[in-house]
Amino acid sequence: MSFVTLYNILLFFANILLWVSTYLYFKKKYGKNSIGSIMILLYTTIAILGPYIFMIEDGKNFFINNLTILPFIYLYLMLIVAIRPLFNYSPKYIQYISLPRPQILNLICLSFSLISIISLIKIIPSLKEGIIGLIIDSSSAADIYSKSTYSRMNQTNNIGYDYIAIFSNISVAIIPFLFFCYLLQKKKKKVIMTLLTISILIPPLNGIANASRLNIISSFLTCIFLGLFFYPYFNHSIKINLKKGAIFVSIIFSIIFILITIGRSSQNNSTSIGYGLMRYFAEGPLVFNNYCLDANGTRDGEYTFAFQHILDRGSQPNEAELREKYSNLKINSSRFYTFVGDFVLDYGPIPAFIIIVAIFFIVYNKTIIHRKTMLFPQMILLYILIQYCCGFYQYQYSMKMGNAYLVALILFYISMNLSLKYKPGWFITIRN
């Protein structure tokens, strides 16, 4: 056994021990059902999978044969800083939840769900092709993914913005949060419940249409964390129906996820499907370790703060142009390197550290629970936090569309905060 291999094994062992200890500490302090503890468990699992995908023969195709300790420490600290505000939402601190009054919540849910349906209409042709392809020949997923990726990476703004599509996509991004809020309401309208259910399935259906696993897994994780948080506040019948629905949908989309993986792996016989699946979930910290702290330059905020450059130039280069522009970097967006990696690649390690600490310090203070009551605006921050921290692959609010999602959520938060301050009668309080 070479010195490099032994050193890697020791680093992996230390990293795993650190994450396992952290999980056990927070589980004891806040309980295993705290979404903060569960988020720590997610990254602990990723750390445990790391040695396997790095050390076996297939890993030589994807990773360089050395690790260093500083990137692991840096990534651990940044993830803990980001996850820490989630512990404010521990069940032990919350007894009451504020919601908009039924008439207002109905109007909000109906408006966003109707707008989001436009996205579903637009993907129906591609969805048919994707479903038929997976059923008849799963290898078609590779061609579908190549076409959709090429289209996404090379899209331009020369023909102007499709504002209807933008508003529809933003509505789709907000729907998961509204779906679970609506389940808390005692009297539910079947029309709104149906529209919300259809709308929450749009991202994974879009994943099928484009043979993209990312839309499926990001939607799945978001709904899992939201469901776990809201679960104690649901009545008995909702809990039963939610469990049945979650099991059914999870099985269906897990099968589709695997079929897409098999299809996309059909053009690459050098690695096994099992390894491909594990690498999908666990490569982020390893790629971060190999490349991000010393990437040979920065991307000037083009990914994480695209709006800044759009305001300067009136537009943003498409993804293919950005990869060419920053071809001097050792890594590009074709690989996973965690949401922390996106900030580090954009600004460098020290500025990224300051930005992340500043963001989550502000969020931490805004999410402190008073009088055991969680306010509706704080629930919006919870949703934003979940989206941030679930970025074990990359930053979910990156580039112009991701920035648009984030801005929309922040405006939603501000509007609800002002409403709660100046129109408290618009809100009601429910008890756990």
Side-chain angles (χ1 to χ4, degrees):
M1 182 182 295
S2 69
F3 172 77
V4 172
T5 302
L6 178 61
Y7 182 70
N8 288 338
I9 291 173
L10 291 174
L11 278 185
F12 275 125
F13 177 77
N15 189 52
I16 292 171
L17 182 62
L18 181 61
W19 278 105
V20 171
S21 301
T22 302
Y23 170 68
L24 293 175
Y25 169 78
F26 281 114
K27 187 184 78 166
K28 182 178 180 180
K29 185 173 181 179
Y30 295 99
K32 64 179 181 180
N33 294 324
S34 164
I35 57 172
S37 298
I38 298 168
M39 189 66 75
I40 295 287
L41 180 61
L42 170 66
Y43 282 97
T44 301
T45 304
I46 289 171
I48 291 171
L49 292 175
Y52 174 78
I53 66 168
F54 186 86
M55 302 296 291
I56 70 170
E57 190 66 25
D58 287 340
K60 293 180 180 179
N61 298 320
F62 299 101
F63 307 107
I64 57 178
N65 191 32
N66 68 285
L67 298 170
T68 51
I69 189 169
L70 182 59
F72 273 151
I73 295 174
Y74 183 99
L75 183 61
Y76 170 82
L77 291 174
M78 291 297 90
L79 289 172
I80 294 300
V81 166
I83 294 170
R84 181 61 186 83
L86 287 176
F87 287 100
N88 286 343
Y89 296 99
S90 175
K92 67 194 298 184
Y93 297 145
I94 302 169
Q95 192 170 357
Y96 306 94
I97 287 181
S98 77
L99 285 175
R101 287 193 173 277
Q103 304 93 318
I104 299 174
L105 187 58
N106 285 345
L107 180 60
I108 293 172
C109 292
L110 183 62
S111 301
F112 279 108
S113 58
L114 285 173
I115 297 172
S116 70
I117 295 296
I118 297 171
S119 294
L120 178 61
I121 295 171
K122 296 188 72 165
I123 68 168
I124 285 176
S126 300
L127 182 60
K128 289 180 180 178
E129 180 185 352
I131 292 174
I132 293 172
L134 287 175
I135 293 174
I136 296 175
D137 180 12
S138 63
S139 63
S140 65
D143 294 329
I144 294 170
Y145 180 72
S146 295
K147 291 176 184 176
S148 65
T149 301
Y150 179 84
S151 176
R152 185 194 78 244
M153 290 187 62
N154 292 278
Q155 63 184 353
T156 65
N157 297 324
N158 294 336
I159 58 174
Y161 290 105
D162 184 346
Y163 290 105
I164 295 177
I166 290 172
F167 286 125
S168 180
N169 289 332
I170 288 172
S171 297
V172 169
I174 296 175
I175 284 294
F177 171 72
L178 294 177
F179 175 84
F180 285 98
C181 287
Y182 196 72
L183 289 179
L184 293 172
Q185 193 163 272
K186 289 184 178 180
K187 294 183 179 180
K188 303 171 187 64
K189 294 185 180 295
K190 290 184 179 179
V191 172
I192 297 177
M193 196 68 242
T194 301
L195 287 172
L196 287 171
T197 303
I198 294 171
S199 298
I200 203 173
L201 293 174
I202 291 175
L205 290 175
N206 190 41
I208 296 173
N210 297 306
S212 169
R213 297 174 293 181
L214 198 56
N215 284 331
I216 296 174
I217 195 63
S218 63
S219 301
F220 178 78
L221 283 176
T222 298
C223 289
I224 286 292
F225 278 99
L226 284 174
L228 289 170
F229 171 75
F230 282 108
Y231 189 80
Y233 305 95
F234 295 142
N235 62 42
H236 183 66
S237 62
I238 290 292
K239 288 180 179 180
I240 293 174
N241 291 331
L242 192 63
K243 280 183 180 178
K244 291 179 180 178
I247 292 170
F248 175 76
V249 171
S250 297
I251 291 172
I252 295 297
F253 282 109
S254 293
I255 293 171
I256 293 171
F257 186 93
I258 293 170
L259 287 175
I260 290 174
T261 300
I262 292 172
R264 284 172 51 178
S265 300
S266 62
Q267 294 183 351
N268 182 12
N269 297 321
S270 62
T271 59
S272 66
I273 293 169
Y275 177 83
L277 280 170
M278 294 182 71
R279 189 174 70 85
Y280 183 89
F281 290 102
E283 83 159 6
L286 303 183
V287 175
F288 183 92
N289 192 294
N290 280 170
Y291 303 106
C292 287
L293 287 190
D294 182 20
N296 196 39
T298 66
R299 301 182 305 202
D300 306 316
E302 290 270 17
Y303 281 75
T304 58
F305 195 15
F307 271 12
Q308 169 196 349
H309 300 282
I310 292 173
L311 292 172
D312 291 342
R313 299 185 299 245
S315 65
Q316 185 195 29
N318 60 43
E319 195 166 344
E321 292 167 341
L322 283 175
R323 286 191 187 180
E324 176 62 27
K325 181 177 180 180
Y326 298 108
S327 58
N328 61 298
L329 299 185
K330 298 177 182 178
I331 192 70
N332 61 41
S333 57
S334 65
R335 299 287 298 276
F336 292 169
Y337 35 67
T338 75
F339 74 93
V340 176
D342 262 318
F343 280 90
V344 173
L345 289 174
D346 265 19
Y347 306 105
I350 295 176
F353 178 89
I354 296 170
I355 291 168
I356 291 175
V357 170
I359 290 173
F360 289 99
F361 177 77
I362 294 170
V363 173
Y364 176 83
N365 284 305
K366 294 292 183 182
T367 54
I368 294 173
I369 305 299
H370 298 285
R371 299 177 182 176
K372 295 193 173 182
T373 301
M374 187 174 67
L375 306 176
F376 187 69
Q378 289 180 311
M379 291 163 61
I380 299 172
L381 287 180
L382 164 69
Y383 181 55
I384 295 173
L385 272 170
I386 288 173
Q387 294 276 44
Y388 257 97
C389 296
C390 279
F392 67 88
Y393 38 94
Q394 289 168 349
Y395 180 49
Q396 294 201 50
Y397 298 119
S398 66
M399 301 190 69
K400 60 187 177 186
M401 203 63 237
N403 278 194
Y405 296 156
L406 182 58
V407 168
L409 285 166
I410 291 172
L411 290 176
F412 189 32
Y413 165 78
I414 293 172
S415 64
M416 290 296 104
N417 216 15
L418 291 174
S419 298
L420 189 63
K421 183 178 181 179
Y422 295 107
K423 296 288 184 180
W426 288 4
F427 295 83
I428 60 173
T429 302
I430 64 172
R431 181 170 181 167
N432 180 2

